Amino acid sequence: MSGHRKYEAKTAFGRVVNEIEETAIAVILGLMTLITFINVVLRYGFNESLIWGLEAVSILFAWLVLFGVSYCVKVTAHLGVDALTNLFRAPGRKVFALVSGLLCIIYAFLLLKGSWDYFANFANLPATEGRWFPLGFEDRFLNKAWYITNDIPMPDWLRFLEPLINEGEEYEKLPRVIGYAMLPIGMALLLFRFVQATWRVWKGDADSLIVSHEAEDAIEEIAAARGDKGV
């Protein structure tokens, strides 16, 4: 079994989820490109600019990274070094892979807790108690829902947030909670994907959480293609 084969969803639900993930990544990347292109045209063609363009692209880039990191775990696109584990036979490599998966799950769990604790106050929600493991939710917390972005205008279709988290006060700009929302969402997805990947190793459906010998395989594919063409 190969740890670097192309990802293929096994169920209809899995295919739908995969389409949603890939579409979301494509939309975010497309919006970043479009906003940047418009800003360049305005700046060099009309000596104008989208004041909120840079800030919007920065937020979208953060979303792309946080969303993409879990997607890359799913499709085993993250690179890793397997020189040590390949010195062992299959049972030993499986043990190493399971230990790695467990460590990744713990790490993702800590990231999820930290990201929720940071995001929560901006959404007028309580953070968790406990330094490493959540022991409940805080009774008192500092409401930061009124924090807004510097330049991004507030769209009317998000006005429903004002009575929910901002005590009915009107937002002059986009609230920061929108940008920070991807923190817990991205880390929750990362934790879920690490659990999935470790479970695949446990069942024997995969032998690693990472891509193995990607460079060598790419060179072999190119050499084979050239051979077929008689180059």
Side-chain angles (χ1 to χ4, degrees):
M1 284 170 293
S2 172
H4 57 276
R5 63 184 183 279
K6 179 178 174 59
Y7 173 81
E8 293 182 4
K10 297 181 179 180
T11 64
F13 179 74
R15 288 190 289 272
V16 170
V17 171
N18 190 61
E19 287 295 327
I20 292 174
E21 289 179 318
E22 291 184 348
T23 301
I25 292 172
V27 168
I28 293 172
L29 189 58
L31 287 174
M32 290 172 58
T33 304
L34 180 62
I35 294 172
T36 302
F37 174 76
I38 293 175
N39 233 355
V40 170
V41 172
L42 289 176
R43 180 170 298 176
Y44 290 97
F46 304 93
N47 198 26
E48 299 286 346
S49 68
L50 295 175
I51 297 176
W52 50 268
L54 178 60
E55 189 175 23
V57 170
S58 298
I59 292 174
L60 288 171
F61 181 72
W63 283 14
L64 181 66
V65 172
L66 292 170
F67 195 83
V69 68
S70 63
Y71 178 80
C72 289
V73 172
K74 183 182 73 172
V75 300
T76 62
H78 289 294
L79 300 180
V81 178
D82 57 2
L84 177 61
T85 57
N86 285 339
L87 297 177
F88 296 85
R89 296 183 178 181
R93 291 198 297 270
K94 182 175 182 179
V95 171
F96 274 105
L98 290 174
V99 171
S100 299
L102 179 60
L103 293 175
C104 288
I105 290 172
I106 294 173
Y107 180 64
F109 177 80
L110 293 175
L111 287 176
L112 175 58
K113 174 180 166 31
S115 63
W116 171 265
D117 290 345
Y118 186 82
F119 157 81
N121 291 168
F122 290 94
N124 200 12
L125 295 170
T128 62
E129 294 180 335
R131 183 172 182 179
W132 301 103
F133 191 85
L135 303 175
F137 290 97
E138 296 176 349
D139 294 329
R140 291 184 175 183
F141 55 93
L142 180 63
N143 181 11
K144 299 180 180 178
W146 55 272
Y147 280 42
I148 58 176
T149 54
N150 295 325
D151 301 308
I152 304 176
M154 177 66 175
D156 290 335
W157 61 273
L158 286 176
R159 294 289 179 188
F160 72 92
L161 292 174
E162 294 168 348
L164 292 178
I165 65 175
N166 201 36
E167 301 178 354
E169 295 291 330
E170 184 175 330
Y171 282 116
E172 296 181 3
K173 303 290 184 180
L174 186 75
R176 292 192 183 187
V177 66
I178 299 299
Y180 295 154
M182 197 61 202
L183 283 168
I185 294 173
M187 294 306 99
L189 286 172
L190 180 63
L191 175 60
F192 176 66
R193 293 306 184 188
F194 273 136
V195 171
Q196 275 191 324
T198 305
W199 180 245
R200 287 198 299 267
V201 174
W202 175 264
K203 292 194 304 179
D205 294 338
D207 53 19
S208 175
L209 275 67
I210 61 171
V211 174
S212 299
H213 306 296
E214 183 186 57
E216 292 90 334
D217 292 344
I219 293 174
E220 290 177 2
E221 290 177 3
I222 293 173
R226 287 182 174 179
D228 292 339
K229 294 180 181 179
V231 178

